[in-house]
């Protein structure tokens, strides 16, 4: 049963984003094309809202599975993004996870609010929604790829 909270100050929403990168010399990143506003039709990192009674890593696995069909084995929490204007809908803090997959083993399929999925150059991704370009820059640094 969810607890009822009543505070006199506003609260941010919490989301998870999952950076899925292929292993290899020229790593690719998995992106989804958003079905819904904001940024409908734009490419983005898979992710979404954390449910009120859900652990962060559980939310990351669920969102990745719902949007791409992938399991999310070997998730590593790499950073938290929380600039006030990062999401036009509301104040949102995102916990970002990273996972590596074999280039030939992952067979993602679009689902839930993802209209399409695709593999893109991690070094030169397309234009991205939200602050996802910054998130990918952080992932490249974490992987020691400049």
């Amino acid at each position: 049963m969810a607890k009822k909270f009543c505070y006199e100050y506003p609260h941010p929403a919490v989301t998870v984003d999952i950076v899925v990168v292929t292993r290899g010399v020229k790593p690719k990143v998995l992106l989804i094309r958003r079905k819904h506003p904001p940024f409908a039709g734009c490419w983005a990192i898979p992710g979404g809202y954390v449910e009120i009674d859900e652990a962060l890593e559980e939310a990351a696995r669920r969102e990745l599975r719902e949007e791409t069909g992938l399991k999310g084995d070997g998730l590593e929490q790499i950073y938290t993004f929380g600039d006030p204007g990062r999401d036009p809908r509301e104040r949102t803090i995102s916990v970002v996870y990273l996972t590596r997959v074999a280039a030939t083993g992952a067979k993602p399929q679009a689902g839930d609010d993802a209209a399409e999925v695709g593999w893109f150059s991690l070094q030169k991704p397309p234009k991205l929604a939200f602050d996802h370009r910054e998130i990918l820059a952080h992932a490249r640094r974490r992987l020691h790829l400049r």
Side-chain angles (χ1 to χ4, degrees), residues 19-145:
V19 179
V20 180
V21 178
T22 60
R23 293 183 187 93
V25 179
K26 293 184 178 182
K28 303 267 187 198
V29 63
L30 181 65
L31 301 175
I32 63 155
R33 188 179 300 275
R34 292 179 54 81
K35 272 188 193 175
H36 308 292
F39 303 105
C42 291
W43 290 102
I45 297 167
Y49 287 97
V50 176
E51 299 292 335
I52 196 69
D53 60 349
E54 188 174 42
L56 292 170
E57 190 169 320
E58 181 184 340
R61 289 182 196 289
R62 176 184 53 77
E63 283 292 338
L64 186 61
R65 186 177 59 253
E66 287 175 1
E67 292 186 349
T68 71
L70 299 179
K71 286 184 179 181
D73 294 330
L75 290 176
E76 175 190 0
Q77 190 179 123
I78 62 168
Y79 202 75
T80 303
F81 288 81
D83 286 350
R86 64 178 305 274
D87 187 329
R89 296 170 290 193
E90 61 185 327
R91 176 76 163 98
T92 304
I93 296 169
S94 186
V95 179
V96 178
Y97 287 84
L98 172 68
T99 187
R100 302 293 303 266
V101 298
T104 57
K107 304 282 190 238
Q109 295 183 341
D112 196 29
D113 57 353
E116 181 181 355
V117 295
W119 293 104
F120 294 87
S121 166
L122 181 59
Q123 297 292 0
K124 295 182 180 181
K127 183 177 178 184
L128 298 171
F130 305 101
D131 58 352
H132 290 188
R133 183 165 297 285
E134 183 182 346
I135 291 172
L136 288 188
H138 189 86
R140 284 192 302 273
R141 288 190 298 274
R142 174 67 183 82
L143 294 166
H144 306 290
L145 306 168

Side-chain angles (χ1 to χ4, degrees), residues 5-20:
F5 296 95
C6 298
Y7 296 103
E8 294 182 22
Y9 55 91
H11 289 81
V14 179
T15 62
V16 289
D17 288 306
I18 308 92
V19 179
V20 180

